[in-house]
């Protein structure tokens, strides 16, 4: 999952980045409301963690503007403002949850899981496509009777493809899921990760659309992509 953190308190932001990146997620950080508003319509994020007190554009206006532009990415507001009226304004503007500072990272992670499950329409912390089952908390992949814990890069790619089965994921989109803005990427790194995934789940499940990207074949996933298929 790719998360955008919008927070102008640099000390808090660095602490949050360290803790959030300890898991499987890719986290990008901006410290300015205008920069966030510029990025959100053009970049793909699975979740936004949004402070309200920001330079140039207030977080509440960032939220209202992104919703007006049709950006439906789930948003959790993080703020020191505890006034009930401001909380209601944030929820009415389109926030999915609201967490008042100071907060424990364990609570934030629990809120992230809850919001993600609601958007996926699932009560559990897993994704299933055919014979593939992926636990999004542990990174464990089950293919039929086989269970393996995926490395972070393979997890990020497969999680995105399983969230969008049958839909083309461009090379750029998958690289954003892996690296965000923080790291460079070798020219063939994505192909290497795809190659390793195919060895785990079957060669036919992840299709290459040359010059476009990759697609998880949901029909083939029903048979694990491994012949013979009944």
């Amino acid at each position: 999952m790719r998360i955008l953190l919008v927070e102008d308190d640099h000390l808090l932001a660095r602490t949050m980045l360290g803790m959030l990146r300890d898991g499987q997620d890719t986290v990008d950080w901006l410290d300015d409301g205008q920069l966030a508003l510029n990025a959100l319509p053009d970049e793909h994020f699975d979740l936004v963690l949004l402070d309200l007190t920001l330079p140039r554009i207030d977080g509440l206006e960032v939220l209202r503007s992104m919703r007006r532009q049709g950006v439906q990415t789930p948003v959790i507001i993080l703020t020191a403002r505890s006034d009930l009226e401001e909380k209601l304004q944030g929820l009415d503007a389109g926030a999915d949850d609201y967490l008042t500072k100071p907060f424990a990272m364990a609570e934030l992670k629990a809120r992230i899981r809850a919001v993600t499950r609601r958007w996926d329409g699932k009560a559990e912390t897993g994704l299933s496509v055919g014979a593939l089952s992926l636990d999004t908390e542990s990174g464990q992949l089950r293919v039929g009777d086989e269970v393996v814990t995926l490395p972070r890069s393979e997890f990020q790619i497969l999680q995105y493809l399983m969230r969008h089965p049958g839909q083309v994921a461009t090379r750029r989109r998958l690289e954003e899921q892996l690296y965000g803005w923080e790291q460079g990427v070798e020219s063939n790194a994505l192909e290497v990760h795809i190659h390793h995934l195919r060895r785990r789940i079957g060669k036919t499940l992840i299709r290459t659309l040359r010059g476009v990207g990759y697609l998880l074949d949901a029909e083939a996933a029903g048979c694990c992509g491994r012949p013979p298929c009944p």
Side-chain angles (χ1 to χ4, degrees), residues 7-230:
E7 170 61 66
D8 69 330
D9 182 331
H10 287 210
L11 180 60
L12 175 60
R14 291 191 181 98
T15 300
M16 292 177 63
L17 287 171
M19 292 185 172
L20 290 170
R21 287 172 177 167
D22 280 345
Q24 299 275 21
D25 298 321
T26 298
V27 188
D28 291 313
W29 170 39
L30 293 172
D31 62 358
D32 179 285
Q34 183 63 64
L35 292 177
L37 196 53
N38 292 345
L40 283 163
D42 299 325
E43 298 275 352
H44 173 82
F45 296 98
D46 300 292
L47 178 71
V48 179
L49 303 176
L50 180 65
D51 186 26
L52 290 187
T53 306
L54 295 168
R56 294 206 286 175
I57 297 181
D58 182 87
L60 197 57
E61 184 53 37
V62 171
L63 177 58
R64 288 170 175 151
S65 296
M66 62 183 279
R67 294 302 190 229
R68 285 197 298 267
Q69 294 177 52
V71 179
Q72 296 303 314
T73 307
V75 173
I76 299 177
I77 289 176
L78 309 176
T79 182
R81 304 178 189 176
S82 58
D83 182 76
L84 175 61
E85 183 60 32
E86 291 188 325
K87 180 183 293 189
L88 294 176
Q89 286 180 7
L91 295 172
D92 287 342
D96 297 87
D97 205 345
Y98 195 112
L99 196 54
T100 303
K101 301 175 185 176
F103 52 81
M105 281 301 300
E107 181 179 6
L108 174 59
K109 290 181 178 181
R111 300 288 186 99
I112 290 172
R113 291 193 296 270
V115 168
T116 303
R117 286 198 296 269
R118 288 202 300 270
W119 272 76
D120 286 341
K122 302 179 185 298
E124 303 300 327
T125 59
L127 298 170
S128 295
V129 178
L132 301 179
S133 297
L134 182 65
D135 188 312
T136 55
E137 288 189 18
S138 68
Q140 282 195 332
L141 169 68
R142 179 181 291 276
V143 186
D145 295 327
E146 300 176 21
V147 179
V148 62
T149 299
L150 293 178
R152 178 188 176 281
S153 296
E154 294 176 36
F155 171 85
Q156 286 279 30
I157 294 169
L158 187 59
Q159 177 184 224
Y160 185 86
L161 293 175
M162 289 181 69
R163 289 186 190 279
H164 307 87
Q167 300 179 30
V168 179
T170 64
R171 179 189 182 92
R172 181 188 173 201
R173 179 61 53 82
L174 291 177
E175 288 178 347
E176 287 173 348
Q177 291 292 121
L178 286 172
Y179 304 104
W181 298 323
E182 295 299 317
Q183 296 175 273
V185 53
E186 297 178 9
S187 60
N188 68 336
L190 181 59
E191 285 80 1
V192 171
H193 297 315
I194 294 286
H195 171 73
H196 289 316
L197 273 174
R198 283 173 169 153
R199 291 178 62 182
R200 297 183 193 279
I201 67 177
K203 294 181 179 179
T204 63
L205 266 66
I206 301 177
R207 292 168 46 196
T208 301
L209 283 75
R210 193 167 301 279
V212 182
Y214 299 91
L215 175 149
L216 180 65
D217 190 326
E219 183 176 348
C223 306
C224 303
R226 298 175 179 178
C229 180

